[in-house]
Amino acid sequence: MAADRSAPGAPATATGTAAVIDGRAVGARVRERVRAGVAALRAGHGVEPGLATILVGEDPASELYVRRKREACAEAGITSFHEPLDAATPASELAALIDRLNTDPAVHGILLQLPLPDGLAPGAITARIAPAKDVDGLHPVNAGLLAHGSPDAVVPCTPAGVMELLRSAGAELAGARAVVIGRSTLVGRPLASLLLGADATVTHCHSRTRDLAAVCGEAEVIVAAAGVPRLVTADMVAEGAIVIDVGTNRTDEGLVGDVDFEAVSRVAGAISPVPGGVGPMTIAMLLDNTLRAARRTAPSAAAP
Ligand code: NAD
């Protein structure tokens, strides 16, 4: 199943033989769709979508991520409420803040920036967030709903962004052989559920998989989320396959993905680059999840 490079609206531009899936363009379209949805929700239902961001400590990378998320909210018309906490904040205080935000009607989504400082257990704290406001989709209730194939699940942002990229590339997923590399709760597992939900035939690979190359060689869709620089090489990819690279690995050569982009581009039908592929989708899907959460508070506005 090669990508349809002539599909209307396809964001791809050719380099080598593969079409390049442009995450910046797809992400911009999602953000524009959210902006319109926010305006319609405000005008039609009087609901002002709001996102609370919690940042514990002063990690510079985390500060940057939160700032970007808040800027993206502002552009989309979503109100953001920032809650910076000292690195030494006890778990009880963080829990009390989450309890307050859970019941605040102006807050439709709660984003707890990870990682947390040592001493704060992310699992227990994430599970304190009300599932309906869990716009990162990390609460076990949302993971369970997704595993059950429920449309009520809040889907984690990065896997949701991968699905948008696949749609933008014209991937026909029903019946397609799809390989997911990586089984984290943040990316790999929810992605496998989403691909199953789209009727793909999913093979889930991980660090103990034998002969990854042979498994990938059978695939029409490959999503690499292992965190291993250039793990996927050209000899592992069938001609015309669609390859999505989630990996973001900081190396001496700069930021590289899990896919050997140059070589795989000569074999694949379509490929997402790093940077400029999955990365821009994650914030876009956070905005989308926040809008969806706000819509659910105005039932007559709830969209499918
Ligand atoms: P993780 O470390 O939690 O999980 C990695 C997974 O890859 C594990 O399940 C492991 O079994 C598997 N794996 C490791 N080595 C392997 C190998 N040699 N062969 C096959 N499988 C192997 O990582 P994660 O949080 O899922 O993130 C994966 C990558 O995606 C990282 O590079 C991360 O930075 C990136 N990421 C990017 C975004 C984004 O917005 N672009 C978001 C989240 C994660």
Side-chain angles (χ1 to χ4, degrees):
M1 180 188 57
D4 176 2
R5 272 168 251 167
S6 61
T13 50
T15 64
T17 61
V20 176
I21 302 170
D22 183 348
R24 293 193 179 100
V26 181
R29 284 209 293 276
V30 171
R31 289 200 305 275
E32 182 51 36
R33 189 177 77 204
V34 171
R35 206 184 59 76
V38 166
L41 190 60
R42 180 180 297 121
H45 302 271
V47 175
E48 299 274 351
L51 175 72
T53 54
I54 305 174
L55 177 62
V56 190
E58 291 171 357
D59 174 58
S62 293
E63 283 178 342
L64 178 67
Y65 291 144
V66 170
R67 191 161 64 242
R68 284 194 186 146
K69 288 169 186 175
R70 299 188 67 217
E71 284 167 3
C73 279
E75 278 172 28
I78 294 172
T79 307
S80 65
F81 307 94
H82 189 44
E83 302 284 354
L85 295 177
D86 190 86
T89 301
S92 57
E93 200 176 307
L94 182 52
L97 171 63
I98 290 172
D99 290 349
R100 175 170 70 70
L101 296 172
N102 279 343
T103 56
D104 184 339
V107 172
H108 301 100
I110 300 172
L111 179 128
L112 174 67
Q113 185 65 41
L114 299 176
L116 293 172
D118 291 346
L120 291 173
I125 294 169
T126 300
R128 189 126 189 154
I129 296 173
K133 296 191 178 188
D134 165 40
V135 282
D136 260 341
L138 296 178
H139 194 289
V141 164
N142 284 315
L145 288 169
L146 182 60
H148 280 227
S150 167
D152 296 331
V154 181
V155 177
C157 304
T158 301
V162 170
M163 296 303 284
E164 284 279 342
L165 290 183
L166 286 171
R167 276 190 287 273
S168 80
E172 290 159 24
L173 294 174
R177 284 165 295 179
V179 165
V180 175
I181 309 173
R183 58 178 165 181
S184 69
T185 49
L186 184 65
V187 187
R189 281 172 204 257
L191 198 47
S193 293
L194 289 166
L195 288 165
L196 268 181
D199 297 325
T201 301
V202 180
T203 305
H204 206 163
C205 298
H206 46 77
S207 54
R208 304 292 293 273
T209 296
R210 279 195 294 270
D211 204 350
L212 182 67
V215 180
C216 287
E218 296 278 308
E220 297 157 273
V221 173
I222 299 174
V223 184
V228 179
R230 301 197 181 96
L231 174 68
V232 177
T233 49
D235 56 310
M236 297 164 71
V237 176
E239 202 173 321
I242 298 180
V243 181
I244 305 289
D245 191 350
V246 183
T248 36
N249 308 295
R250 286 173 210 290
T251 70
D252 294 343
E253 303 162 49
L255 193 66
V256 300
D258 287 359
V259 177
D260 182 353
F261 182 85
E262 290 305 324
V264 172
S265 292
R266 291 194 277 275
V267 185
I271 185 168
S272 72
V274 176
V278 175
M281 298 304 298
T282 300
I283 290 183
M285 301 318 290
L286 171 70
L287 302 178
D288 193 52
N289 277 348
T290 305
L291 172 60
R292 285 168 190 264
R295 276 192 183 129
R296 283 194 295 272
T297 65
S300 60

